[in-house]
């Protein structure tokens, strides 16, 4: 074995062997480590990456709730003039006394009406008894519910002329007609949309001036007198037709 005479060369040779041994050791260690695969996400060509930016919610002050307007109530319109109460009627009670009659009634207001009755009798019942008269009795009425419905009260007047035979005497208006007034209570009973009945009674005052004759043909006049009457002035059981 040769003796190394150059110390520098010996040092370089030592470093060379040490480097080869370290390299071999590191190679053997890498073979025993498990393989780790790192997956790098890749992006397709032509696709742009967009950042999702969520909008920031802004809280606004709550709006004041306006009060709801209540719907206007429709007020029922009053009946037009075309639907006003208009009726004609005839009184069966007067027909029973041989007095023909006809009356008309018209509405003036929701509760007010005007009746215009006309009564007449132009014939004698027999030789000793007869009733000839023409009597007009206008009446203003107040209806509790409405014109033509249920109960009513009224104020009437009367004006007329007469020629009455009663047994031995005959009484005839003299100088002026019979005059007076009274009050009435009545009730209207409907049968249908057009037909109905009416019941009434009235009381009041009447003043008459009359001549008195013998109840014979061309009988002599016995005198002139006046008479104040208090009592029944109207009585009615009428059949009514409403238009």
């Amino acid at each position: 074995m040769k003796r190394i005479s150059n110390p520098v060369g010996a040092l370089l040779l030592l470093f060379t062997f040490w480097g080869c041994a370290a390299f071999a050791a590191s190679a053997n260690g890498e073979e025993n480590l498990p393989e780790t695969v790192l997956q790098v996400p890749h992006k397709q060509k032509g696709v742009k990456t967009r950042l999702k930016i969520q909008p920031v919610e802004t809280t606004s002050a709550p709006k004041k709730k306006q009060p709801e307007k209540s719907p206007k109530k429709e007020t029922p319109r009053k009946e037009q003039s075309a639907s006003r109460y208009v009726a004609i009627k005839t009184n069966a009670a007067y027909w029973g006394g041989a007095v023909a009659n006809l009356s008309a009634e018209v509405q003036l207001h929701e509760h007010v009406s005007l009746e215009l009755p006309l009564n007449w009798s132009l014939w004698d019942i027999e030789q000793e008894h007869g009733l000839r008269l023409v009597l007009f009795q206008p009446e203003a009425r107040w209806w509790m519910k409405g014109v033509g419905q249920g109960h009513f009260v009224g104020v009437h007047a009367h004006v007329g002329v007469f020629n009455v035979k009663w047994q031995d005497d005959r009484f005839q208006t003299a100088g002026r007609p019979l005059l007076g007034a009274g009050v009435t209570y009545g009730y209207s009973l409907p049968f249908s949309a057009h037909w109905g009945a009416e019941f009434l009674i009235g009381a009041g005052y009447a003043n008459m001036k009359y001549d008195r004759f013998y109840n014979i043909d061309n009988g002599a006049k016995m005198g002139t007198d006046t008479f104040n009457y208090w009592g029944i002035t109207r009585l009615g059981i009428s059949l009514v037709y409403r238009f």
Side-chain angles (χ1 to χ4, degrees):
M1 184 174 180
K2 288 182 180 183
R3 189 175 177 181
I4 300 172
S5 61
N6 188 358
V8 177
L11 184 61
L12 290 175
L13 182 64
L14 179 62
F15 273 111
T16 302
F17 280 110
W18 181 81
C20 291
F23 177 79
S26 63
N28 292 333
E30 288 180 358
E31 290 178 356
N32 295 331
L33 290 176
E35 295 182 357
T36 303
V37 180
L38 297 178
Q39 295 181 357
V40 179
H42 26 166
K43 180 176 65 171
Q44 296 179 0
K45 294 182 179 180
V47 178
K48 294 182 180 180
T49 303
R50 295 182 181 178
L51 296 178
K52 294 182 179 180
I53 301 175
Q54 295 182 353
V56 179
E57 294 183 359
T58 56
T59 57
S60 58
K63 294 182 180 179
K64 291 184 179 180
K65 196 173 183 180
Q66 296 182 353
E68 296 181 358
K69 295 182 180 179
S70 57
K72 295 182 180 180
K73 295 182 179 179
E74 295 183 359
T75 54
R77 296 181 180 178
K78 294 185 177 180
E79 293 182 354
Q80 303 296 330
S81 58
S83 61
R84 286 182 181 274
Y85 180 88
V86 178
I88 58 172
K89 58 191 80 173
T90 187
N91 191 345
Y94 286 4
W95 281 103
V99 178
N101 63 91
L102 186 65
S103 63
E105 185 174 8
V106 61
Q107 179 180 354
L108 302 180
H109 187 264
E110 184 179 358
H111 294 277
V112 180
S113 67
L114 177 65
E115 187 192 37
L116 303 172
L118 180 63
N119 312 300
W120 69 94
S121 176
L122 305 175
W123 49 83
D124 294 335
I125 300 173
E126 55 185 18
Q127 182 64 31
E128 294 181 353
H129 301 89
L131 177 62
R132 297 186 180 185
L133 67 83
V134 177
L135 180 64
F136 182 54
Q137 287 185 301
E139 179 174 83
R141 294 177 171 180
W142 172 268
W143 297 79
M144 310 301 180
K145 293 183 179 179
V147 175
Q149 304 175 26
H151 303 273
F152 67 88
V153 292
V155 178
H156 62 268
H158 31 258
V159 56
V161 294
F162 60 86
N163 186 349
V164 179
K165 292 181 180 181
W166 189 254
Q167 294 182 353
D168 296 333
D169 299 321
R170 182 172 65 87
F171 307 94
Q172 183 175 344
T173 51
R176 59 175 177 81
L178 173 153
L179 298 171
V183 293
T184 305
Y185 166 76
Y187 181 80
S188 179
L189 177 65
F191 297 150
S192 65
H194 296 286
W195 292 99
E198 184 179 279
F199 308 91
L200 65 86
I201 186 169
Y205 168 76
N207 175 268
M208 59 198 81
K209 182 179 180 180
Y210 60 89
D211 293 331
R212 183 179 178 185
F213 299 89
Y214 284 112
N215 187 19
I216 58 176
D217 291 340
N218 299 319
K221 178 180 177 180
M222 293 186 289
T224 301
D225 205 351
T226 58
F227 181 69
N228 295 311
Y229 169 80
W230 292 91
I232 301 299
T233 51
R234 291 204 68 185
L235 182 65
I237 305 173
S238 301
L239 179 66
V240 181
Y241 179 82
R242 174 180 178 173
F243 292 94

